[in-house]
Amino acid sequence: ILQTLTNIKYRIAIMIPIYFLSLIALSATSIDALAFSTTFSPEKVFSKVPAVNVEKTCLDISLDVGHVDGSHIPIKQFQFELTQSKPNKLHPSMPGANGPNPFTSSGVKKIEVTKDGHFIDIRGTQRANLSDGCWEMVWRKHAFSGVIVCGFNVPDEIKRNDALLPSGRVYITFPVWKKTELMERKEKKIEVTKVGIVLTQEKDEEIRKMISTKNIIMKALHFRSACAITEKITTSGYGSPWYTKIPEDDEVTEIENGYVLSTKGTVWTKTESFFEEKILLGHATIGTTDSTLRP
């Protein structure tokens, strides 16, 4: 019995160091595995944002802030330059650089306001003060287009009748495309449009026949044909999201290095973080230096 107990103690004495060494090795492996699983490689998800030299690019913006069927604030001739300088320290947080996907941002640069916008109310001409301007380009990997986001601080709310541009941060966003790729998409859109128009006419004809016939069987056959043609229209891409986002020639303006900027954008804000939905305030339009917005 004593010999048996001695052997057991001997085995335990040997096994304890081995057990602890195993735990250490397992812990190290687990730590490495955890580190690997949480390591984020942005190059696998996001592309390097295209470098666009927009030094001294001047924009003349008209803002239409307000309700769709109600009062508006038509802010005219808000002019500024997109520069490559560092932004003011008081600039607003930006949705790309300070949002959930900072790797999509080109980095925040300074906006130099050359002329404040203005609008007219019952008191006369009023100045629209938007300060601490900055901008960035946001472009996700494999995306057909990116956006240029201009951010400003509004020190005091701007009001005209029932329309309101609240104090705080406000953003103006314009889509941007590579010129060559946009041209390719436009050519594809033309081809899809031709097919879509023909298919739509065929579908309308089947619907007309379905309505006009009194034969129940023929109604069913024409209805079936109309459904089949509708599926072809959907498959062709006619009226799809990518199709509707292709701008017309007069809806873009060319900037540097083979890129074009949409002349139509949106004005919006955020109440809290960029993880929440944005609040649409109105629309923006890029024009010439003498552009105006209808009151």
Side-chain angles (χ1 to χ4, degrees), residues 209-225:
K209 290 179 180 179
M210 180 190 70
I211 295 173
S212 62
T213 184
K214 296 180 180 180
N215 189 312
I216 296 178
I217 296 177
M218 293 306 297
K219 278 185 180 292
L221 291 174
H222 289 308
F223 176 76
R224 181 180 178 183
S225 297

Side-chain angles (χ1 to χ4, degrees), residues 141-154:
K141 189 173 183 179
H142 303 310
F144 162 52
S145 63
V147 290
I148 285 182
V149 185
C150 303
F152 299 91
N153 286 323
V154 181

